[in-house]
Structure formats: structure tokens, C-alpha cells
Amino acid sequence: MFVLCCSFRRSSSSRVVSLFVGSFNSPAHLLNKHKQFSRTFMASSSTKFVFAGCQLLVGENKEENLSNARKAIDEASQKGAHIVSLPECFNCPYSNASFPVYAESIPDGPSTKMLSLAASSNKVYLIGGSFPEKDGDKLYNTSLVFDPEGNLIAKHRKIHLFDIDVPGKIRFKESETLSPGSTPTVFETKFGKIGLGICYDIRFAELALLYSQRGAKFLVYPGAFNMTTGPAHWELLQRSRALDNQLYVAAVSPARNPSSSYTAWGHSTVVNPWGEVISTTGHEPGIIYAEIDFSKLDEIRANIPITLQKRDDIYKVVDIVGEKQQK
């Protein structure tokens, strides 16, 4: 099986794109592979940008995790990315035992400071995956977003906690240590609006629809599906959310760590509004790249105008939080 990856180099007037193809078994190798062909195209800042998803190997050493994240952000920026995302729990192992130990306050913790500096140094929008946040006596699974000046522009606390029990396969209860967030998150960029969720949030179609109603054209989900739910649902859910709302969807996973008590599926992926996978990888550390073109949403929505054909007289998703904020 093969993956199509892109390497982007920015300039003032154009962007050079290098495309190369290789085996899923070594995504890190793909990113360094000799160019097979390249092309130059004009990229409009109003509709087009390059997204990068960093699939990181996460271990027990927090400083090493932060260092690896910074290196990946730098590499993604050097290859032309405008918006970069890290995976869920990029600074610690994904486990209830780890969450309290690695938790940080915001904005004073080392993870927040690293993310802000990485965004400003590279002049990129940075979606900081997620990490355990300590706020008073509560812990949250939290994602931070920074603009190219390093300013914190959004904070998303995982709304739907991962509480599942599949007999004989996997049992995990985030609610044993974490508290749920209560605010949907859509943030502005110079390219357009982006909706943010964390892992299990992707299973709830109503949240994605709410984001679409708020004007989001791209949904990003740092996530860590496992070896049971990953092969069954990971790509399916991304393609479903993209088709439901005719927008782009990305899900960014940690790389698979065989020594971890929770084994991530990997396979970070980007899906376009037609439901096609346009970038993906295997389970090893690496970076995926995708050109996002918001003008394609208008074309697809004009061809199949489901938004105009919805029956609000029969059913609708109500933005309860948004309505309260407007009052």
C-alpha cells in the first residue's frame, strides 16, 4: 500500500511542491526521500494553505516529548506549512495514571510556553495537539491554538470523554481522572474558520454540524484511537464528518509506541470535502502534508447543495452555547 506525501517550500510569490510516493511502512523515510517530480503553483492566501500533521512518538520523558514536538514543528514550517497540528497527549503517555503527573496550568506551564514560542518563531498557526491541563482541583484534556505571533487564540477542552468498554479488547474511562469541557471551539485564521475537537469528539456528528453552522471549513481532531477502534473507525469517521458537512477534516495521531500501555493506531489523515483521503501515513513517526483549498468547498456545495436542502422545519442542531454568548 502506498501514500502520497507533499513537501512545500515557501517563497514570496509562489510555492514549490515536491511530491513523492513510497511504502506506508516508513513515513519518516518518505519525508526525506529524493524528489521524483515537482511543480510550482501560485497559492492564494485567501483560499489555499498547507496543513501539516505531526505524528510524534510519545514516551515517558516529558522534556524529550517537548523537544521532539518542537523539532517537528520546525520541520513542518521549513517545508512550507502554514498551519501545523500536533497529536493528542503529545507531552505524556495516554493513561489515567499519567494525566495527573504530567498536568500543567495554562499559560504558565512548559508545554504552553514551548507552543507559543514555536508558533512565533516559525510564523505558523499552531494547534498544540492536547495535553492534560490542571485548573484548580480538576484536570482536562486540552488543546491550545496559537497564531503566527505566538498569541493564544483558542483553547478547547475535550467535550466528550473517552469512556468505553469493549469486552475482551479495551476498557478505558477518561472520566476516572478527567473532567469534560463545555465549550465548542471555532477559531479564526486569515484563511478562514477552523473547528477543533479532540479524539472522541469526532464521533459526535452534531458537534461537527455545529462547527459547520458557525462557518468552519476545516475540522481538526488531534486524536489517539487504539488498536481496536482505529482500524474499524478512524478513517471512516473522518470521511463521514467530511461528507456530512462538505468540508476538510484532519485527524492527527501519536505514532505507535509498542512499549506504551495504550497503543495508538497512528495513521494521521486528511480528508477533502468529497470524502477522499488526500494525505495519510502508517503508524511510525512522521509528518503528513496536504494542500487545503477552501474554494473547493463552494464548488462541491453548489454541485450537491445539501445545506440548502436541509429541513429546518423538521430537524435542526441548536447552538446553545453560541446563543448564550450572543445574549
Side-chain angles (χ1 to χ4, degrees):
M1 200 168 188
F2 292 86
V3 59
L4 179 65
C5 296
C6 308
S7 173
F8 300 82
R9 186 167 68 250
R10 290 182 290 194
S11 66
S12 59
S13 60
S14 64
R15 191 165 293 110
V16 177
V17 184
S18 301
L19 303 174
F20 47 84
V21 181
S23 168
F24 265 154
N25 294 329
S26 54
H29 173 66
L30 292 178
L31 294 171
N32 297 311
K33 191 174 176 66
H34 179 71
K35 296 178 185 176
Q36 293 182 333
F37 63 92
S38 65
R39 63 185 175 91
T40 301
F41 69 94
M42 299 298 292
S44 168
S45 62
S46 62
T47 63
K48 292 181 181 180
F49 62 89
V50 178
F51 171 81
C54 303
Q55 185 163 291
L56 305 175
L57 183 66
V58 179
E60 296 182 354
N61 187 316
K62 188 175 188 177
E63 290 186 2
E64 185 174 321
N65 293 334
L66 295 182
S67 176
N68 289 339
R70 177 59 195 264
K71 290 176 183 177
I73 296 164
D74 292 346
E75 178 181 338
S77 173
Q78 291 165 6
K79 293 190 176 181
H82 302 92
I83 299 179
V84 180
S85 178
L86 300 180
E88 181 181 23
C89 289
F90 78 91
N91 77 349
C92 73
Y94 182 81
S95 72
N96 279 316
S98 297
F99 297 151
V101 177
Y102 290 78
E104 302 177 12
S105 61
I106 296 172
D108 302 322
S111 296
T112 304
K113 292 178 180 179
M114 183 279 290
L115 294 170
S116 176
L117 182 59
S120 62
S121 298
N122 289 288
K123 301 302 179 186
V124 296
Y125 289 96
L126 178 58
I127 300 169
S130 80
F131 61 88
E133 173 199 2
K134 181 174 178 59
D135 186 3
D137 61 351
K138 291 186 176 182
L139 300 178
Y140 300 93
N141 189 343
T142 300
S143 180
L144 303 180
V145 183
F146 298 85
D147 69 13
E149 285 70 51
N151 300 309
L152 178 61
I153 59 174
K155 180 171 80 169
H156 180 79
R157 289 170 168 169
K158 190 172 187 178
I159 294 174
H160 305 93
L161 296 184
F162 181 57
D163 283 9
I164 71 166
D165 188 352
V166 182
K169 294 184 177 180
I170 182 171
R171 178 190 182 277
F172 201 101
K173 303 286 184 180
E174 278 188 328
S175 61
E176 292 177 356
T177 56
L178 301 177
S179 296
S182 57
T183 305
T185 305
V186 175
F187 61 92
E188 293 271 5
T189 73
K190 67 178 182 180
F191 308 107
K193 294 182 177 180
I194 296 177
L196 180 59
I198 299 175
C199 200
Y200 203 54
D201 285 339
I202 198 173
R203 288 187 178 272
F204 298 85
E206 297 86 351
L207 180 62
L209 176 56
L210 186 152
Y211 285 163
S212 178
Q213 291 177 174
R214 288 191 180 185
K217 297 181 178 180
F218 185 25
L219 306 184
V220 179
Y221 297 91
F225 274 38
N226 53 72
M227 300 301 292
T228 297
T229 61
H233 303 147
W234 176 252
E235 181 182 308
L236 175 62
L237 284 166
Q238 294 169 63
R239 297 182 69 188
S240 297
R241 298 296 83 82
L243 280 173
D244 288 344
N245 302 286
Q246 297 176 315
L247 41 64
Y248 288 91
V249 172
V252 184
S253 171
R256 193 174 303 169
N257 186 343
S259 65
S260 175
S261 61
Y262 180 96
T263 306
W265 171 239
H267 296 271
S268 298
T269 300
V270 182
V271 179
N272 70 14
W274 194 250
E276 298 170 322
V277 173
I278 59 173
S279 184
T280 192
T281 187
H283 61 78
E284 296 180 345
I287 302 174
I288 61 169
Y289 298 87
E291 179 193 347
I292 308 298
D293 184 356
F294 284 162
S295 68
K296 292 183 179 180
L297 275 71
D298 298 329
E299 177 184 346
I300 291 172
R301 291 174 177 181
N303 294 338
I304 307 178
I306 59 173
T307 300
L308 300 177
Q309 296 167 336
K310 290 184 179 180
R311 293 291 304 275
D312 289 341
D313 58 321
I314 300 175
Y315 53 83
K316 65 172 61 177
V317 170
V318 179
D319 189 351
I320 297 173
V321 173
E323 291 181 353
K324 288 182 179 178
Q325 291 174 343
Q326 291 176 1
K327 291 182 179 179

